[in-house]
Amino acid sequence: MAAKLDADNTTRYNQVRESLNAQDVKNKQERDQLRMDVNARLDDVSRQMEVVRKEIIEAVQKTNGGLARNLDARLEEQQKVP
């Protein structure tokens, strides 16, 4: 009877161990996939931020250029007036 209990316990132990090992492998695969997904998303966000940054710089340069032209025109007008 004790031998049968030992055999049953060993069988259950091995089944639990195999199940935990399988879960561990699955968790690792899911973690690796999640890491790849997050890295891909971060790369996308970085690319989008770079585009936005360039657009902001361009808008600021256009605005500054327009302001500079307006100031130049005002200065020229003021210099013409005696």
Side-chain angles (χ1 to χ4, degrees):
M1 175 106 171
K4 176 149 176 45
L5 276 174
D6 283 346
D8 288 346
N9 285 338
T10 300
T11 300
R12 275 186 252 144
Y13 169 78
N14 287 333
Q15 289 171 340
V16 168
R17 189 177 67 189
E18 287 176 19
S19 175
L20 290 174
N21 285 338
Q23 287 176 349
D24 185 47
V25 168
K26 183 179 179 194
N27 288 341
K28 182 184 180 311
Q29 291 170 341
E30 289 175 352
R31 184 190 71 227
D32 290 346
Q33 182 62 48
L34 181 61
R35 182 181 293 129
M36 288 187 298
D37 293 346
V38 168
N39 286 339
R41 183 67 182 130
L42 287 173
D43 289 344
D44 287 344
V45 169
S46 292
R47 282 191 291 276
Q48 291 171 0
M49 291 300 295
E50 182 62 24
V51 168
V52 168
R53 186 184 73 80
K54 287 178 182 178
E55 289 174 353
I56 289 171
I57 289 171
E58 185 178 306
V60 168
Q61 288 173 341
K62 285 181 182 178
T63 301
N64 288 346
L67 289 174
R69 283 190 296 278
N70 286 341
L71 286 174
D72 287 344
R74 283 185 180 178
L75 285 173
E76 285 180 23
E77 286 178 19
Q78 288 179 356
Q79 288 173 354
K80 288 179 186 176
V81 176

